[in-house]
Amino acid sequence: MKAKPTLGSHVVLRDLEGAQKVFLLSSGANRQELRMGKYSAIPLETLLSCPYGAILRREADGGWQRVRHSIEVAEETVEVQENNQHLAQDNSAQSLSPSEVRDLKQKCSGSEVVEALASNSATFASKTKFAQEKYLKKKAQKHVQQVTLLRPSVMELCETYYKQSRNKVCGLRYDYLSSLLCQADVRSGARFLVLDCAAGLVAGAMAQQLAGLGEIYRLFRGSYPEKGLLELDLSESEKSCVRAIHLEALESSDPWSSEWLRLPEAPGDAEGEAIAPGRAEARLTRITKRHNDFKSLEAKAVDGLIVVAEDADLCAEVLELGLPRLSFGGRVCVFGHHLQPLAALQGAWRAGNFVDVRLTQLFTREFQALPLRTHPFMVADANLCEGFILCGSKVGEAEPQEAAGEDSPTKKQRRS
Amino acid sequence: MSLTKHPSVGEFLAGCEEHVNPYRPARLALCPMAADAEISDVSTSDTAREGDFVILWGSYTQIFGIVLKHGEIANNRFGNFHHDEIIGRHFGSRVRSRRGGLWLALLRPSPEFITQSLTHRTQIVYHADISLLRALLDARPGHIICEAGTGSGSVSASLSRALRPNGKLYTFEFHEERQKQAMADFSTYGVLDVVVSQHRDVCNHGFGEELKGQVHGVFLDLPAPWAAVPHVTKCLVFGGKVVAFSPCVEQVDKTATELRRSGYFDVRMLETLATNWGVKRQDATKKKRRTEGTTGTTAAQEAEEEEPKDVPKTSGTGEQWLSYQMPMRSHTGYLLVATRAPDGD
């Protein structure tokens, strides 16, 4: 585990309001400006000199400086008695005018602005320590430019994508992602088939878990999002486990003639002359790799099948193609947002050749953990449960005499 | 959504060679971390063998973990299952008791099945919390994680999978007898390549000199996690994560305060619960409205219950699947996570 981000690696930056963004640290021609929201850009060298977890703050001179983590939590031993009975809510408490605040912001650092605001507030001194802390935190969010450097772990990336746009990761929250990996028994050395419409984060997290041993066949049609795979900063060995398989090849009765697997025309053909020899060679290499990947998938059943997709038809199609390729005793896990299609699958699986079929929702909420003020965060638009996970283990067919109706335990056994 | 027919056992076995069993770790440990490492290096047979620890699945509450031995019999409420009739069967088979009738599914011992089959010597941590704490700790191959206390080994089994290969889980238990039992379980599960189990009270004696500054994450499941914080700081790398599982708000509060004082940041408190949904079949042809009024519910209410309008029919068949919420654990514990401040802070 390296302590500092390096050139060519990714870093997650979080501002004081909790917004997060992933940056590629690059000095090349395609360098990305390290700019969070309305903040001024952070020099690359400054970022590279800091370890993960460090805080950078913009100072009055416009430069970015590393600052220490401070213990900013008020502790009060006596019971809080003050209340807002006599608080005037007429916006008269602040004696600094907006234009004065603007001037201050030109000359001073963000933290100095916050100090000035507090000392010019008629009510600040009369507030409880808890209320003062809350006031300072709110003002700092507005006036202080500060970022925290975070490691691009699965958890951090999942939260970042989710905060930016739920659609980007199919609404797959970090708790669900981790649960999927567990329920599908994703382990080093095993083989998996995955449909990952969550920006490549599922395949990336699986690759990290396999650590170079085993295979992940990632199905796709049309786009092949790789954001998650790239931003996790996986090693070459980790990345090598992930193999792209076009759905077209799986569903075709004659996969070798499908466009995705078709070998290019022999060089020297009319078409071949038009392409530069180097490109033709690259294409041949690419197709050869596809051939090998496809052969290796079809050679053996997979140990697990994971489906994360918004599109119900795509999900159904992948299950139809994937379940016959799942080994007996293998796990299948489907993530989705709609109960009904999953419930229908759940019913069909339980009546068919699956055991341990479970449909689960995760209720996860975050709390403010502060002395005498611990409570769930109050959010108006929280999704405490975010979708469903359906999982199960595939078992062999019942023997002929069982199918004849002797299989009496099923009713009792299938009761949950 | 229709499902295609699965290949028969024979078809499957014909097209399938050796399979990977991660619970045979001795060979895995020897395997090089090469990008193109052949899977056959770590594979074992796809069938259950003498000495294997396997799962027999009977129902959602009847899941048994057994070690296969010639001549032995597994007795449970489904009947008597002779090990000799299980040895040699492929995973995913239905195995029958001698008297016929009832069958159990033969499955691989995933940590989830272990959690559901293990002997409770203590309160155990369940799936939702385990999977969340694994994400919070960023447990992954090659990392070193500490756990205190071991308890019944539910978390240890899951973390061992997350850390394999090349990672290590040091798990500490202050109750001597429990540590011995846990050690025996880890040997049964075949996780001793990753798990190091020790009898130790970490609140008083710390995590040991050799782990000083070596550990990437610490999981605390202790009555007084705050008392372990100074010892955690000694073994945790800069930027490493500590996660504490506690049932009471007061425990979380004390631990959070102690962590902040000790220079940890991003102190977050989370609660996670699993809601399970059951499903039952409603045959469209049998559906008829009951005419007799029953006490308590009106006929109209009952009609509504019987015919939910939003449940789609499954393709082809005339059946409907009705979902219902199953009873759930209303509280397990809170997870508190914090990150050790980086070097220089």
Side-chain angles (χ1 to χ4, degrees):
Chain A
M1 201 161 91
K2 56 182 189 197
K4 281 182 183 180
T6 49
L7 212 55
S9 72
H10 290 85
V11 66
V12 180
L13 295 184
R14 183 178 60 211
D15 68 17
L16 273 181
E17 283 174 296
Q20 291 184 187
K21 199 172 164 190
V22 188
F23 294 92
L24 171 65
L25 301 178
S26 147
S27 59
N30 55 346
R31 67 181 292 170
Q32 188 185 2
E33 204 174 35
L34 307 170
R35 187 192 291 277
M36 281 294 284
K38 57 181 165 52
Y39 292 3
S40 69
I42 303 165
L44 178 68
E45 301 69 42
T46 313
L47 239 165
L48 286 172
S49 70
C50 295
Y52 292 113
I55 296 176
L56 287 173
R57 189 178 287 167
R58 188 167 181 256
E59 299 301 334
D61 61 5
W64 287 83
Q65 287 278 323
R66 185 173 166 194
V67 292
R68 284 161 177 276
H69 283 272
S70 55
I71 308 165
E72 286 153 346
V73 174
E75 291 174 41
E76 204 145 23
T77 42
V78 286
E79 232 167 277
V80 185
Q81 296 291 348
E82 293 92 334
N83 57 33
N84 62 6
Q85 189 181 2
H86 303 293
L87 185 73
Q89 276 181 316
D90 54 3
N91 293 332
S92 63
Q94 185 54 255
S95 59
L96 290 176
S97 70
S99 62
E100 282 173 314
V101 176
R102 251 197 310 280
D103 286 349
L104 265 179
K105 283 180 85 168
Q106 298 289 321
K107 290 179 287 184
C108 310
S109 72
S111 32
E112 285 165 333
V113 173
V114 175
E115 270 172 47
L117 285 169
S119 56
N120 285 288
S121 162
T123 49
F124 183 79
S126 68
K127 285 174 192 278
T128 66
K129 269 193 187 167
F130 293 167
Q132 286 183 352
E133 183 185 310
K134 199 169 165 186
Y135 178 92
L136 292 176
K137 199 179 162 203
K138 276 198 165 170
K139 294 295 172 199
Q141 278 185 1
K142 198 165 172 199
H143 300 290
V144 179
Q145 296 194 7
Q146 179 178 310
V147 295
T148 309
L149 277 67
L150 303 168
R151 203 181 289 277
S153 63
V154 172
M155 164 97 184
E156 222 64 77
L157 288 187
C158 193
E159 277 206 284
T160 305
Y161 298 168
Y162 187 87
K163 276 181 187 173
Q164 287 172 345
S165 151
R166 284 176 60 222
N167 294 338
K168 205 185 225 169
V169 281
C170 285
L172 184 70
R173 207 169 51 194
Y174 58 90
D175 50 333
Y176 279 82
L177 173 56
S178 191
S179 183
L180 269 181
L181 298 181
C182 288
Q183 292 288 12
D185 197 14
V186 176
R187 58 198 193 267
S188 187
R191 294 157 54 83
F192 296 91
L193 196 56
V194 62
L195 173 69
D196 172 6
C197 300
L201 195 57
V202 182
M206 292 168 76
Q208 198 170 69
Q209 181 64 75
L210 263 59
L213 297 170
E215 279 103 29
I216 298 160
Y217 300 98
R218 186 174 172 206
L219 300 175
F220 74 102
R221 165 174 294 144
S223 67
Y224 184 79
E226 284 191 292
K227 191 175 165 64
L229 272 167
L230 295 173
E231 296 185 342
L232 274 172
D233 287 345
L234 298 173
S235 68
E236 285 307 315
S237 144
E238 286 167 330
K239 272 186 239 172
S240 70
C241 290
V242 185
R243 299 165 185 213
I245 302 283
H246 201 292
L247 266 170
E248 174 194 66
L250 278 195
E251 65 196 354
S252 163
S253 52
D254 178 17
W256 300 108
S257 67
S258 69
E259 200 189 319
W260 188 69
L261 284 172
R262 206 164 43 221
L263 282 167
E265 307 289 314
D269 282 7
E271 195 195 344
E273 274 173 80
I275 322 166
R279 280 186 60 193
E281 222 165 88
R283 181 149 180 247
L284 187 65
T285 319
R286 209 164 56 226
I287 304 272
T288 312
K289 184 180 181 314
R290 289 177 185 175
H291 273 228
N292 292 336
D293 290 349
F294 185 70
K295 270 188 208 155
S296 105
L297 167 62
E298 294 296 66
K300 240 189 269 179
V302 294
D303 299 290
L305 168 62
I306 297 183
V307 180
V308 177
E310 270 297 315
D311 184 340
D313 293 337
L314 187 60
C315 171
E317 194 181 333
V318 166
L319 286 173
E320 197 167 317
L321 294 167
L323 286 176
R325 290 173 168 85
L326 181 64
S327 72
F328 291 108
R331 297 283 292 173
V332 53
C333 275
V334 184
F335 172 79
H337 274 101
H338 305 293
L339 179 59
Q340 291 87 352
L342 290 176
L345 270 178
Q346 183 190 14
W349 288 0
R350 287 177 64 148
N353 294 320
F354 290 88
V355 295
D356 204 56
V357 182
R358 293 168 195 269
L359 182 57
T360 312
Q361 240 180 336
L362 294 172
F363 168 100
T364 303
R365 66 172 167 184
E366 190 163 353
F367 286 64
Q368 160 179 299
L370 292 172
L372 298 172
R373 287 156 292 168
T374 297
H375 60 72
F377 279 120
M378 286 178 253
V379 186
D381 55 355
N383 286 303
L384 297 180
C385 294
E386 176 66 281
F388 303 87
I389 291 177
L390 174 66
C391 59
S393 293
K394 181 174 164 183
V395 293
E397 304 259 346
E399 289 155 32
Q401 75 267 25
E402 290 170 357
E406 249 185 55
D407 216 6
S408 53
T410 32
K411 194 164 185 191
K412 191 173 174 189
Q413 287 184 341
R414 301 213 184 270
R415 265 189 60 85
S416 34
Chain B
M1 293 188 189
S2 66
L3 300 174
T4 50
K5 192 107 177 109
H6 312 303
S8 75
V9 171
E11 278 167 7
F12 169 73
L13 285 177
C16 168
E17 308 142 26
E18 287 210 313
H19 231 269
V20 185
N21 181 353
Y23 301 97
R24 293 245 156 216
R27 292 166 70 189
L28 189 75
L30 297 173
C31 184
M33 275 283 289
D36 53 357
E38 273 300 315
I39 207 67
S40 57
D41 288 351
V42 294
S43 72
T44 57
S45 86
D46 192 34
T47 55
R49 297 175 306 187
E50 155 98 21
D52 277 355
F53 175 67
V54 299
I55 294 293
L56 295 180
W57 192 95
S59 75
Y60 291 86
T61 53
Q62 301 291 315
I63 298 169
F64 315 101
I66 59 162
V67 177
L68 296 176
K69 288 201 185 90
H70 284 304
E72 291 202 357
I73 301 170
N75 300 307
N76 53 56
R77 68 150 72 163
F78 298 98
N80 310 321
F81 296 83
H82 291 248
H83 289 202
D84 286 319
E85 286 168 19
I86 300 171
I87 292 168
R89 301 287 301 273
H90 64 83
F91 287 105
S93 303
R94 303 175 192 228
V95 296
R96 301 194 145 262
S97 78
R98 272 250 165 112
R99 287 197 188 147
L102 303 172
W103 57 267
L104 298 173
L106 171 64
L107 298 172
R108 281 197 175 74
S110 71
E112 286 65 41
F113 286 133
I114 289 177
T115 295
Q116 291 167 72
S117 65
L118 54 75
T119 319
H120 289 210
R121 293 182 288 266
T122 53
Q123 278 273 26
I124 67 161
V125 183
Y126 290 98
H127 174 76
D129 291 301
I130 295 176
S131 74
L132 182 55
L133 75 88
R134 165 207 147 112
L136 296 174
L137 283 172
D138 194 20
R140 56 165 112 162
H143 274 199
I144 298 173
I145 303 274
C146 281
E147 178 194 21
T150 309
S152 305
S154 170
V155 174
S156 323
S158 188
L159 286 178
S160 73
R161 172 183 59 192
L163 298 174
R164 182 177 293 133
N166 301 331
K168 275 269 185 268
L169 173 72
Y170 291 86
T171 180
F172 304 92
E173 172 60 50
F174 69 171
H175 188 286
E176 195 168 3
E177 192 51 36
R178 249 184 348 238
Q179 187 267 329
K180 281 184 186 150
Q181 290 166 328
M183 186 72 186
D185 285 349
F186 296 147
S187 166
T188 303
Y189 305 156
V191 294
L192 288 179
D193 61 320
V194 180
V195 179
V196 179
S197 166
Q198 282 178 31
H199 170 233
R200 186 199 281 266
D201 176 1
V202 299
C203 290
N204 286 312
H205 306 297
F207 293 87
E209 273 302 304
E210 78 265 33
L211 290 177
K212 214 169 160 185
Q214 301 292 316
V215 176
H216 300 105
V218 177
F219 173 61
L220 301 173
D221 182 4
L222 301 166
W226 58 89
V229 170
H231 301 297
V232 171
T233 309
K234 277 188 200 138
C235 72
L236 203 57
V237 298
F238 292 111
K241 306 263 186 191
V242 54
V243 174
F245 177 85
S246 319
C248 306
V249 177
E250 288 75 11
Q251 290 170 301
V252 175
D253 185 25
K254 271 186 108 161
T255 313
T257 301
E258 190 56 39
L259 285 168
R260 289 196 180 96
R261 278 198 200 121
S262 311
Y264 288 75
F265 70 102
D266 275 5
V267 181
R268 299 172 69 182
M269 175 182 177
L270 298 154
E271 179 185 29
T272 188
L273 297 165
T275 314
N276 289 301
W277 289 82
V279 72
K280 64 177 182 183
R281 188 201 306 260
Q282 189 179 39
D283 200 332
T285 54
K286 282 184 187 166
K287 208 168 36 181
K288 59 173 186 231
R289 220 165 279 183
R290 249 175 271 165
T291 41
E292 312 98 306
T294 38
T295 47
T297 47
T298 67
Q301 274 174 343
E302 211 165 82
E304 216 172 270
E305 278 166 23
E306 294 224 339
E307 285 178 284
K309 287 159 194 71
D310 54 352
V311 178
K313 287 184 179 180
T314 50
S315 56
T317 58
E319 64 196 13
Q320 287 185 324
W321 294 105
L322 302 182
S323 292
Y324 58 94
Q325 217 174 341
M326 306 206 313
M328 63 185 276
R329 282 186 191 86
S330 61
H331 178 63
T332 54
Y334 300 105
L335 286 170
L336 184 73
V337 58
T339 311
R340 189 177 171 200
D343 195 7
D345 269 27

